Amino acid sequence: MPPRTSVPPPRRLPLIVTSDGDLLDDLLRLAAAGGVTAEVATDPAAARSRWQSAPLVLVGSDQARSCLRARLPHRPRLVLVGRSGDLDPGWEIAELVGAEHVAVLPAAEPWLVDRFAECGADPPGAGARLVAVLGGRGGAGASVLAGGLAVTAARSRLRTLLVDADPLGGGLDLVLGWEQLDGLRWPALTDAEGRVDAPALVRALPRRGDLVMLSWDRGDPLPLPAEAMAATLDAARRGRDFVVVDCPRRLDDAAVTALQSVDRTLVVVPAELRATAAAARVVAAAAPHCADLSVVVRGPAPGRLKAAEVARALGLPLAGTLRPEPALCRGLERGEAPAADGRGPLAALCQRIVAELGGTTTAGAA
């Protein structure tokens, strides 16, 4: 059995959102006292791409109402900060933007130094790597790639979470053949917000070995709140090594939250002209929320459209290609998880992607 590996993520930095120069100087001084460097955004538009992934977000009183108007999703460890004269009535606006705390300077300076210090206290390798998968059109194979990535990571002894973020999809439990496994599904977690206990979440979900999954039941589709997605991914980043999110093509608030939280996003596009045209719309909607977006092109190519041409048409880097696998399609119909045997084009691509994200794969691991 290969040793368990952990995925070394890049250091995530706290985020300060303010255009008040004096307040910014104070907060940067407190961050330095806490031993960390902070990223700075002058307004919600500049903050959006880092809003979910930052371990701590400080919103200056000058930007609180702007963040509210921008409809930034609620997230854990959000602090409203300012001076006493600028924060009246502080708790009212704090509740509206979803802040957990109101920090009034200068009295709160020691408390803020401690919060900054916590951001720098994670040992090397702590926290999961997150990847999202999108379909460029319906039936592109995004769910199969998502399942293959999760199975591959778990085969490498990475503690893995597979998240089904598409309430109208067929259900990732069917892709893995897990529909009979007991455990919580999304409808039981849609009220989650704030800080979720990571071990408790993992214990409650369907699992096999190092792989756990959060999917949907067979009831009526329910809207998935962005707060529930944020809380779940925050717990996953703390309690897992590798997280895969299967996102819907039509982005809702929860999907946007997921895209803003992950380290890499892959869009799966069949090597067809119409599929490429459809994918262009998906890419246009997703790109503003993605830190790293690339394309996986799936064969066959009836018109001999090359993968590089698809990538060039979408303006994205090519993450890889997938050749047809008739045996994979037959296995899915029998409830066999994709890439479970570690062989074939899908398994090879998944092994490479997991490795690129910082994990270690072992071909043929049990």
Side-chain angles (χ1 to χ4, degrees), residues 253-349:
D253 288 345
V256 168
T257 295
L259 294 180
Q260 292 173 348
S261 301
V262 302
D263 302 298
R264 187 177 186 185
T265 301
L266 303 168
V267 56
V268 184
V269 183
E272 303 167 6
L273 182 61
R274 288 191 63 195
T276 303
R281 295 177 178 269
V282 175
V283 168
H289 309 292
C290 299
D292 182 347
L293 180 61
S294 54
V295 61
V296 172
V297 178
R298 180 175 65 81
R304 298 185 179 180
L305 187 63
K306 292 180 171 57
E309 293 172 332
V310 174
R312 187 162 51 249
L314 296 175
L316 296 176
L318 180 63
T321 60
L322 286 171
R323 298 194 307 274
E325 285 189 78
L328 171 64
C329 299
R330 292 193 295 269
L332 290 172
E333 291 299 314
R334 295 193 296 264
E336 298 173 3
D341 61 3
R343 297 190 296 270
L346 175 65
L349 177 64

Coordinates of all heavy atoms in Angstrom, one line a residue, residues 253-349:
D253 N -25.8 30.8 -7.7 CA -24.9 31.4 -6.7 C -24.0 30.4 -6.1 O -22.8 30.7 -5.8 CB -25.7 32.1 -5.7 CG -26.4 33.4 -6.2 OD1 -26.0 33.9 -7.2 OD2 -27.4 33.9 -5.5
A254 N -24.5 29.2 -5.9 CA -23.6 28.2 -5.3 C -22.5 27.8 -6.2 O -21.3 27.6 -5.7 CB -24.5 27.0 -4.9
A255 N -22.8 27.7 -7.5 CA -21.7 27.3 -8.4 C -20.7 28.4 -8.6 O -19.5 28.1 -8.6 CB -22.3 27.0 -9.8
V256 N -21.1 29.6 -8.5 CA -20.2 30.8 -8.6 C -19.3 30.7 -7.3 O -18.1 30.9 -7.4 CB -21.0 32.1 -8.7 CG1 -20.0 33.3 -8.4 CG2 -21.6 32.3 -10.0
T257 N -19.9 30.5 -6.2 CA -19.1 30.3 -5.0 C -18.1 29.2 -5.1 O -16.9 29.4 -4.7 CB -20.0 30.0 -3.8 OG1 -20.9 31.1 -3.6 CG2 -19.3 29.8 -2.5
A258 N -18.4 28.1 -5.7 CA -17.5 27.0 -5.9 C -16.3 27.4 -6.8 O -15.2 27.2 -6.5 CB -18.2 25.8 -6.4
L259 N -16.7 28.1 -7.9 CA -15.6 28.5 -8.9 C -14.7 29.5 -8.2 O -13.5 29.5 -8.5 CB -16.3 29.1 -10.1 CG -17.1 28.2 -11.0 CD1 -17.7 28.9 -12.2 CD2 -16.3 27.0 -11.5
Q260 N -15.2 30.4 -7.4 CA -14.3 31.3 -6.7 C -13.5 30.7 -5.7 O -12.4 31.3 -5.3 CB -15.2 32.4 -6.1 CG -15.9 33.3 -7.1 CD -16.9 34.3 -6.4 OE1 -17.2 34.1 -5.2 NE2 -17.4 35.2 -7.1
S261 N -13.8 29.5 -5.2 CA -13.1 28.8 -4.1 C -12.0 27.9 -4.6 O -11.1 27.6 -3.8 CB -14.1 28.0 -3.2 OG -15.1 28.9 -2.7
V262 N -12.1 27.4 -5.8 CA -11.2 26.3 -6.2 C -9.9 26.8 -6.8 O -9.8 28.0 -7.1 CB -11.9 25.4 -7.3 CG1 -13.2 24.8 -6.8 CG2 -12.2 26.2 -8.6
D263 N -8.9 25.9 -6.8 CA -7.6 26.3 -7.4 C -7.6 26.2 -8.9 O -6.7 26.9 -9.5 CB -6.6 25.4 -6.7 CG -6.6 25.5 -5.2 OD1 -6.3 26.5 -4.7 OD2 -6.9 24.4 -4.6
R264 N -8.4 25.3 -9.5 CA -8.3 25.1 -10.9 C -9.7 24.7 -11.4 O -10.4 24.0 -10.7 CB -7.3 24.1 -11.3 CG -7.1 23.9 -12.8 CD -6.0 22.9 -13.1 NE -5.6 22.9 -14.5 CZ -4.8 22.0 -15.0 NH1 -4.2 21.1 -14.3 NH2 -4.6 22.0 -16.3
T265 N -10.1 25.2 -12.6 CA -11.4 24.8 -13.2 C -11.1 24.2 -14.6 O -10.3 24.8 -15.4 CB -12.3 26.0 -13.3 OG1 -12.6 26.6 -12.0 CG2 -13.6 25.6 -14.0
L266 N -11.7 23.1 -14.9 CA -11.6 22.4 -16.2 C -13.0 22.4 -16.8 O -14.0 22.0 -16.2 CB -11.2 21.0 -16.0 CG -9.8 20.8 -15.2 CD1 -9.7 19.3 -14.8 CD2 -8.7 21.2 -16.0
V267 N -13.0 22.8 -18.1 CA -14.2 22.8 -18.9 C -14.1 21.7 -19.9 O -13.1 21.7 -20.7 CB -14.6 24.1 -19.5 CG1 -13.5 24.7 -20.4 CG2 -15.9 24.0 -20.3
V268 N -15.0 20.7 -20.0 CA -14.9 19.6 -20.9 C -15.7 19.9 -22.1 O -16.9 20.2 -22.0 CB -15.4 18.3 -20.2 CG1 -15.3 17.1 -21.1 CG2 -14.7 18.1 -18.9
V269 N -15.1 19.7 -23.3 CA -15.7 20.1 -24.6 C -15.5 19.0 -25.6 O -14.4 18.6 -25.8 CB -15.1 21.4 -25.1 CG1 -15.8 21.8 -26.4 CG2 -15.2 22.5 -24.1
P270 N -16.6 18.4 -26.1 CA -16.4 17.4 -27.2 C -15.8 18.1 -28.4 O -16.0 19.3 -28.6 CB -17.9 17.0 -27.5 CG -18.6 17.3 -26.2 CD -18.0 18.5 -25.7
A271 N -15.0 17.4 -29.2 CA -14.3 17.9 -30.4 C -15.3 18.1 -31.5 O -15.2 17.4 -32.6 CB -13.2 17.0 -30.8
E272 N -16.3 19.0 -31.3 CA -17.3 19.3 -32.3 C -17.5 20.8 -32.4 O -17.3 21.5 -31.4 CB -18.6 18.6 -31.9 CG -18.5 17.1 -31.7 CD -19.8 16.6 -31.0 OE1 -20.7 17.4 -30.8 OE2 -19.8 15.4 -30.7
L273 N -17.9 21.2 -33.6 CA -18.1 22.7 -33.8 C -19.2 23.3 -33.0 O -19.0 24.3 -32.3 CB -18.3 22.9 -35.3 CG -18.5 24.4 -35.7 CD1 -17.2 25.2 -35.5 CD2 -18.9 24.5 -37.2
R274 N -20.3 22.6 -32.9 CA -21.4 23.2 -32.1 C -21.1 23.1 -30.7 O -21.5 24.0 -29.9 CB -22.7 22.4 -32.4 CG -23.3 22.7 -33.8 CD -24.7 22.1 -33.9 NE -25.6 22.7 -32.9 CZ -26.8 22.2 -32.6 NH1 -27.2 21.1 -33.1 NH2 -27.6 22.8 -31.7
A275 N -20.4 22.0 -30.2 CA -20.0 22.0 -28.8 C -19.1 23.1 -28.4 O -19.2 23.7 -27.3 CB -19.4 20.6 -28.5
T276 N -18.2 23.4 -29.4 CA -17.3 24.5 -29.1 C -18.0 25.8 -29.0 O -17.7 26.7 -28.1 CB -16.2 24.6 -30.2 OG1 -15.5 23.3 -30.3 CG2 -15.2 25.7 -29.9
A277 N -19.0 26.0 -29.9 CA -19.8 27.3 -29.8 C -20.6 27.4 -28.5 O -20.6 28.4 -27.9 CB -20.7 27.3 -31.0
A278 N -21.1 26.2 -28.1 CA -21.9 26.2 -26.8 C -20.9 26.5 -25.6 O -21.2 27.2 -24.7 CB -22.6 24.9 -26.6
A279 N -19.7 25.9 -25.7 CA -18.7 26.0 -24.6 C -18.3 27.5 -24.5 O -17.9 27.9 -23.4 CB -17.5 25.1 -24.9
A280 N -18.3 28.2 -25.6 CA -17.8 29.6 -25.6 C -18.8 30.4 -24.6 O -18.3 31.3 -23.9 CB -17.8 30.2 -27.0
R281 N -20.0 30.1 -24.6 CA -21.0 30.8 -23.7 C -20.7 30.4 -22.3 O -20.8 31.2 -21.4 CB -22.4 30.4 -24.1 CG -22.8 31.0 -25.5 CD -24.2 30.5 -25.8 NE -24.7 31.1 -27.1 CZ -25.3 32.2 -27.3 NH1 -25.6 33.0 -26.2 NH2 -25.7 32.6 -28.5
V282 N -20.4 29.1 -22.0 CA -20.1 28.7 -20.7 C -18.9 29.3 -20.2 O -18.8 29.8 -19.0 CB -20.0 27.1 -20.7 CG1 -19.6 26.7 -19.3 CG2 -21.3 26.5 -21.0
V283 N -17.9 29.4 -21.0 CA -16.6 30.0 -20.6 C -16.8 31.5 -20.3 O -16.2 32.0 -19.4 CB -15.5 29.8 -21.7 CG1 -14.3 30.6 -21.5 CG2 -15.2 28.3 -21.8
A284 N -17.5 32.2 -21.1 CA -17.8 33.6 -20.9 C -18.4 33.8 -19.6 O -18.1 34.8 -18.9 CB -18.6 34.2 -22.0
A285 N -19.3 33.0 -19.1 CA -20.0 33.1 -17.8 C -19.1 32.7 -16.7 O -19.1 33.3 -15.6 CB -21.3 32.3 -17.8
A286 N -18.2 31.7 -16.9 CA -17.4 31.2 -15.8 C -16.1 31.9 -15.6 O -15.6 32.0 -14.5 CB -17.1 29.7 -16.1
A287 N -15.5 32.4 -16.7 CA -14.1 32.9 -16.6 C -13.9 34.0 -15.6 O -12.9 34.0 -14.9 CB -13.7 33.4 -18.0
P288 N -14.9 35.0 -15.4 CA -14.7 36.0 -14.4 C -14.5 35.5 -13.0 O -14.0 36.2 -12.1 CB -15.9 36.9 -14.5 CG -16.4 36.7 -15.9 CD -16.1 35.2 -16.2
H289 N -15.0 34.3 -12.7 CA -14.9 33.7 -11.4 C -13.8 32.7 -11.2 O -13.7 32.2 -10.1 CB -16.3 33.0 -11.1 CG -17.5 33.9 -11.4 ND1 -17.8 35.0 -10.6 CD2 -18.4 33.8 -12.3 CE1 -18.9 35.6 -11.1 NE2 -19.3 34.8 -12.1
C290 N -13.0 32.5 -12.2 CA -12.0 31.4 -12.1 C -10.6 31.9 -12.1 O -10.2 32.8 -12.9 CB -12.1 30.5 -13.4 SG -13.7 29.7 -13.5
A291 N -9.8 31.4 -11.1 CA -8.4 31.8 -11.0 C -7.6 31.1 -12.1 O -6.6 31.6 -12.6 CB -7.9 31.5 -9.7
D292 N -8.0 29.9 -12.5 CA -7.2 29.1 -13.4 C -8.2 28.2 -14.2 O -8.8 27.3 -13.7 CB -6.2 28.2 -12.7 CG -5.3 27.4 -13.6 OD1 -5.6 27.3 -14.8 OD2 -4.3 26.8 -13.1
L293 N -8.5 28.6 -15.5 CA -9.5 27.9 -16.3 C -8.8 27.3 -17.5 O -8.0 28.0 -18.2 CB -10.5 28.9 -16.7 CG -11.7 28.4 -17.6 CD1 -12.5 27.3 -16.9 CD2 -12.6 29.6 -18.0
S294 N -9.0 26.1 -17.8 CA -8.4 25.4 -19.0 C -9.4 24.4 -19.5 O -10.5 24.1 -18.9 CB -7.1 24.7 -18.6 OG -7.3 23.8 -17.5
V295 N -9.2 23.8 -20.7 CA -10.1 23.0 -21.4 C -9.6 21.6 -21.6 O -8.4 21.4 -21.8 CB -10.5 23.6 -22.8 CG1 -9.3 23.7 -23.7 CG2 -11.6 22.8 -23.5
V296 N -10.5 20.6 -21.4 CA -10.2 19.2 -21.7 C -11.1 18.9 -23.0 O -12.3 19.1 -22.9 CB -10.6 18.3 -20.6 CG1 -10.5 16.8 -21.0 CG2 -9.6 18.6 -19.4
V297 N -10.5 18.4 -24.0 CA -11.2 18.1 -25.3 C -11.4 16.6 -25.4 O -10.5 15.9 -25.3 CB -10.5 18.7 -26.5 CG1 -11.2 18.3 -27.8 CG2 -10.3 20.2 -26.4
R298 N -12.7 16.3 -25.6 CA -13.0 14.8 -25.6 C -13.4 14.4 -27.1 O -14.2 15.1 -27.8 CB -14.2 14.6 -24.7 CG -14.7 13.1 -24.7 CD -15.8 12.9 -23.7 NE -17.0 13.6 -24.0 CZ -17.9 13.1 -24.9 NH1 -17.7 12.0 -25.5 NH2 -19.0 13.8 -25.1
G299 N -12.8 13.3 -27.5 CA -13.1 12.7 -28.8 C -14.3 11.8 -28.7 O -14.8 11.6 -27.6
P300 N -14.8 11.4 -29.9 CA -14.2 11.5 -31.2 C -14.4 12.9 -31.8 O -15.2 13.6 -31.3 CB -14.9 10.4 -32.0 CG -16.2 10.3 -31.3 CD -16.0 10.5 -29.9
A301 N -13.7 13.1 -32.9 CA -13.9 14.3 -33.7 C -14.5 14.0 -35.0 O -13.7 13.8 -36.0 CB -12.5 15.0 -33.8
P302 N -15.8 14.1 -35.2 CA -16.4 13.7 -36.4 C -15.9 14.5 -37.6 O -15.8 14.0 -38.7 CB -17.9 13.9 -36.2 CG -18.1 13.9 -34.7 CD -16.8 14.4 -34.2
G303 N -15.7 15.8 -37.4 CA -15.2 16.7 -38.5 C -13.7 16.9 -38.4 O -13.2 17.8 -39.0
R304 N -13.0 16.0 -37.7 CA -11.5 16.1 -37.6 C -11.1 17.4 -36.9 O -10.0 17.9 -37.2 CB -10.9 15.9 -38.9 CG -11.1 14.5 -39.5 CD -10.4 14.3 -40.8 NE -10.6 12.9 -41.3 CZ -10.1 12.5 -42.4 NH1 -9.2 13.2 -43.1 NH2 -10.4 11.2 -42.8
L305 N -11.9 18.0 -36.0 CA -11.5 19.2 -35.3 C -10.4 18.8 -34.3 O -10.6 18.0 -33.5 CB -12.7 19.8 -34.6 CG -12.6 21.2 -34.0 CD1 -12.2 22.2 -35.0 CD2 -13.9 21.6 -33.3
K306 N -9.3 19.5 -34.3 CA -8.2 19.2 -33.4 C -8.4 19.9 -32.1 O -9.0 20.9 -31.9 CB -6.9 19.7 -34.0 CG -6.5 18.9 -35.3 CD -5.2 19.4 -35.8 CE -4.6 18.5 -36.9 NZ -5.6 18.4 -38.0
A307 N -7.9 19.2 -31.0 CA -8.0 19.7 -29.7 C -7.4 21.1 -29.6 O -8.0 22.0 -28.9 CB -7.3 18.8 -28.7
A308 N -6.3 21.3 -30.2 CA -5.6 22.7 -30.1 C -6.5 23.7 -30.8 O -6.5 24.9 -30.3 CB -4.3 22.6 -30.8
E309 N -7.3 23.4 -31.8 CA -8.2 24.3 -32.4 C -9.3 24.7 -31.5 O -9.8 25.8 -31.5 CB -8.7 23.7 -33.8 CG -7.6 23.6 -34.8 CD -8.1 22.8 -36.0 OE1 -9.0 22.0 -35.9 OE2 -7.5 23.1 -37.1
V310 N -9.8 23.7 -30.8 CA -10.9 24.0 -29.8 C -10.4 24.9 -28.7 O -11.1 25.9 -28.4 CB -11.4 22.7 -29.2 CG1 -12.4 22.9 -28.1 CG2 -12.0 21.8 -30.2
A311 N -9.2 24.6 -28.2 CA -8.7 25.4 -27.1 C -8.4 26.9 -27.6 O -8.7 27.8 -27.0 CB -7.4 24.8 -26.6
R312 N -7.9 27.0 -28.9 CA -7.6 28.3 -29.4 C -8.9 29.1 -29.6 O -9.0 30.3 -29.4 CB -6.9 28.1 -30.7 CG -6.4 29.5 -31.3 CD -5.3 29.3 -32.4 NE -5.7 28.3 -33.4 CZ -5.1 27.1 -33.5 NH1 -4.2 26.7 -32.6 NH2 -5.5 26.3 -34.5
A313 N -10.0 28.4 -30.1 CA -11.3 29.1 -30.3 C -11.9 29.6 -29.0 O -12.5 30.6 -29.0 CB -12.3 28.1 -31.0
L314 N -11.6 28.9 -27.9 CA -12.1 29.3 -26.6 C -11.2 30.2 -25.9 O -11.5 30.8 -24.8 CB -12.4 28.1 -25.7 CG -13.4 27.1 -26.2 CD1 -13.5 25.9 -25.4 CD2 -14.8 27.8 -26.3
G315 N -10.0 30.4 -26.4 CA -9.0 31.3 -25.7 C -8.5 30.7 -24.4 O -8.2 31.5 -23.5
L316 N -8.4 29.4 -24.3 CA -8.0 28.7 -23.1 C -6.8 27.8 -23.3 O -6.7 27.3 -24.4 CB -9.1 27.9 -22.5 CG -10.4 28.7 -22.1 CD1 -11.5 27.7 -21.6 CD2 -10.1 29.6 -21.0
P317 N -6.0 27.6 -22.3 CA -5.0 26.6 -22.4 C -5.6 25.2 -22.5 O -6.7 24.9 -21.9 CB -4.1 26.8 -21.1 CG -5.0 27.5 -20.2 CD -5.9 28.3 -21.0
L318 N -4.9 24.3 -23.1 CA -5.4 22.9 -23.3 C -4.8 22.1 -22.1 O -3.6 21.9 -22.0 CB -4.9 22.3 -24.6 CG -5.3 20.9 -24.9 CD1 -6.9 20.8 -25.0 CD2 -4.7 20.4 -26.2
A319 N -5.8 21.6 -21.3 CA -5.3 20.8 -20.1 C -5.1 19.3 -20.5 O -4.4 18.6 -19.8 CB -6.4 20.9 -19.0
G320 N -5.8 18.9 -21.6 CA -5.6 17.5 -22.0 C -6.7 17.0 -22.9 O -7.6 17.8 -23.2
T321 N -6.6 15.8 -23.4 CA -7.5 15.3 -24.4 C -8.0 13.9 -23.9 O -7.3 13.2 -23.1 CB -6.9 15.1 -25.8 OG1 -5.8 14.3 -25.7 CG2 -6.5 16.5 -26.3
L322 N -9.1 13.5 -24.3 CA -9.7 12.2 -24.0 C -10.1 11.4 -25.2 O -10.9 11.9 -26.0 CB -10.9 12.3 -23.0 CG -10.6 12.7 -21.6 CD1 -11.9 13.0 -20.8 CD2 -9.9 11.6 -20.9
R323 N -9.5 10.3 -25.5 CA -9.9 9.4 -26.6 C -11.2 8.6 -26.2 O -11.4 8.4 -25.0 CB -8.8 8.5 -26.9 CG -7.5 9.1 -27.4 CD -6.6 8.1 -28.1 NE -6.3 7.0 -27.2 CZ -5.4 6.9 -26.3 NH1 -4.6 8.0 -26.1 NH2 -5.2 5.8 -25.6
P324 N -11.9 8.2 -27.1 CA -13.1 7.4 -26.8 C -12.8 6.1 -26.1 O -11.7 5.5 -26.4 CB -13.7 7.1 -28.2 CG -13.2 8.1 -29.1 CD -11.8 8.5 -28.6
E325 N -13.6 5.7 -25.1 CA -13.4 4.5 -24.3 C -14.7 3.7 -24.3 O -15.5 3.9 -23.3 CB -12.9 4.8 -22.9 CG -11.5 5.3 -22.8 CD -11.0 5.4 -21.4 OE1 -10.8 4.3 -20.7 OE2 -11.0 6.5 -20.8
P326 N -15.0 2.9 -25.2 CA -16.3 2.1 -25.2 C -16.4 1.3 -23.9 O -17.5 1.2 -23.3 CB -16.2 1.2 -26.4 CG -15.2 1.9 -27.3 CD -14.2 2.6 -26.5
A327 N -15.3 0.8 -23.4 CA -15.4 0.0 -22.2 C -15.8 0.8 -21.0 O -16.5 0.4 -20.1 CB -14.1 -0.7 -21.9
L328 N -15.4 2.1 -21.0 CA -15.8 3.0 -19.9 C -17.3 3.3 -19.9 O -17.9 3.2 -18.9 CB -15.0 4.4 -20.1 CG -15.5 5.5 -19.1 CD1 -15.2 5.2 -17.7 CD2 -14.7 6.8 -19.5
C329 N -17.8 3.5 -21.1 CA -19.3 3.7 -21.2 C -20.1 2.5 -20.7 O -21.1 2.6 -20.0 CB -19.6 4.0 -22.6 SG -18.9 5.6 -23.3
R330 N -19.6 1.3 -21.1 CA -20.3 0.1 -20.6 C -20.2 -0.1 -19.1 O -21.1 -0.5 -18.5 CB -19.7 -1.1 -21.4 CG -20.0 -1.2 -22.9 CD -19.6 -2.5 -23.4 NE -18.2 -2.8 -23.3 CZ -17.3 -2.5 -24.3 NH1 -17.7 -1.9 -25.4 NH2 -16.0 -2.8 -24.1
G331 N -19.0 0.2 -18.6 CA -18.8 0.1 -17.2 C -19.7 1.1 -16.4 O -20.3 0.7 -15.3
L332 N -19.9 2.3 -16.9 CA -20.8 3.2 -16.2 C -22.2 2.7 -16.1 O -22.9 2.9 -15.1 CB -20.7 4.6 -16.9 CG -19.4 5.4 -16.8 CD1 -19.4 6.6 -17.7 CD2 -19.2 5.8 -15.3
E333 N -22.7 2.1 -17.2 CA -24.0 1.6 -17.2 C -24.2 0.4 -16.2 O -25.2 0.1 -15.7 CB -24.4 1.0 -18.6 CG -24.6 2.1 -19.6 CD -25.7 3.1 -19.2 OE1 -26.8 2.6 -18.8 OE2 -25.5 4.3 -19.3
R334 N -23.1 -0.2 -15.8 CA -23.1 -1.3 -14.8 C -22.8 -0.8 -13.4 O -22.7 -1.6 -12.5 CB -22.1 -2.4 -15.2 CG -22.4 -3.1 -16.5 CD -21.5 -4.4 -16.6 NE -20.1 -4.0 -16.7 CZ -19.4 -3.9 -17.9 NH1 -20.1 -4.1 -19.0 NH2 -18.2 -3.6 -17.9
G335 N -22.7 0.5 -13.2 CA -22.4 1.0 -11.9 C -20.9 1.0 -11.5 O -20.6 1.1 -10.3
E336 N -20.0 0.9 -12.5 CA -18.6 0.9 -12.2 C -18.0 2.3 -12.2 O -18.3 3.0 -13.1 CB -17.8 0.0 -13.2 CG -18.3 -1.5 -13.2 CD -17.7 -2.3 -14.4 OE1 -16.8 -1.7 -15.1 OE2 -18.0 -3.4 -14.5
A337 N -17.3 2.7 -11.2 CA -16.8 4.0 -11.1 C -15.8 4.3 -12.2 O -15.0 3.4 -12.5 CB -16.2 4.2 -9.7
P338 N -15.7 5.5 -12.7 CA -14.8 5.8 -13.8 C -13.3 5.8 -13.2 O -13.1 6.3 -12.1 CB -15.2 7.2 -14.3 CG -16.0 7.8 -13.1 CD -16.7 6.6 -12.5
A339 N -12.4 5.3 -14.0 CA -11.0 5.3 -13.7 C -10.7 4.4 -12.5 O -9.6 4.5 -11.9 CB -10.5 6.7 -13.5
A340 N -11.6 3.5 -12.1 CA -11.4 2.7 -10.9 C -10.3 1.7 -11.1 O -9.6 1.4 -10.0 CB -12.7 2.0 -10.6
D341 N -10.0 1.3 -12.3 CA -8.9 0.3 -12.4 C -7.5 1.0 -12.7 O -6.5 0.3 -12.9 CB -9.2 -0.7 -13.5 CG -9.4 -0.1 -14.9 OD1 -9.2 1.1 -15.0 OD2 -9.7 -0.9 -15.8
G342 N -7.6 2.3 -12.9 CA -6.3 3.0 -13.1 C -5.8 2.9 -14.5 O -4.6 3.3 -14.7
R343 N -6.5 2.4 -15.4 CA -6.1 2.2 -16.8 C -7.0 2.9 -17.8 O -8.1 3.2 -17.5 CB -6.0 0.7 -17.1 CG -5.1 -0.1 -16.3 CD -4.9 -1.5 -16.9 NE -6.1 -2.3 -16.8 CZ -6.5 -3.0 -15.8 NH1 -5.7 -3.1 -14.7 NH2 -7.6 -3.7 -15.8
G344 N -6.4 3.3 -18.9 CA -7.2 3.9 -20.0 C -6.9 5.4 -20.1 O -6.3 6.0 -19.2
P345 N -7.4 6.0 -21.1 CA -7.1 7.5 -21.3 C -7.7 8.4 -20.2 O -7.0 9.3 -19.8 CB -7.9 7.8 -22.6 CG -7.9 6.5 -23.4 CD -8.0 5.4 -22.3
L346 N -8.9 8.1 -19.7 CA -9.4 8.9 -18.6 C -8.5 8.8 -17.3 O -8.2 9.8 -16.7 CB -10.8 8.4 -18.3 CG -11.5 9.1 -17.1 CD1 -11.6 10.6 -17.3 CD2 -12.8 8.5 -16.7
A347 N -8.2 7.6 -17.0 CA -7.3 7.4 -15.8 C -6.0 8.1 -15.9 O -5.5 8.7 -15.0 CB -7.1 5.9 -15.5
A348 N -5.4 8.0 -17.1 CA -4.1 8.6 -17.4 C -4.2 10.1 -17.2 O -3.3 10.8 -16.6 CB -3.6 8.2 -18.7
L349 N -5.3 10.7 -17.8 CA -5.5 12.2 -17.7 C -5.7 12.6 -16.2 O -5.1 13.5 -15.8 CB -6.6 12.6 -18.5 CG -7.0 14.1 -18.5 CD1 -5.8 15.0 -19.0 CD2 -8.3 14.4 -19.2

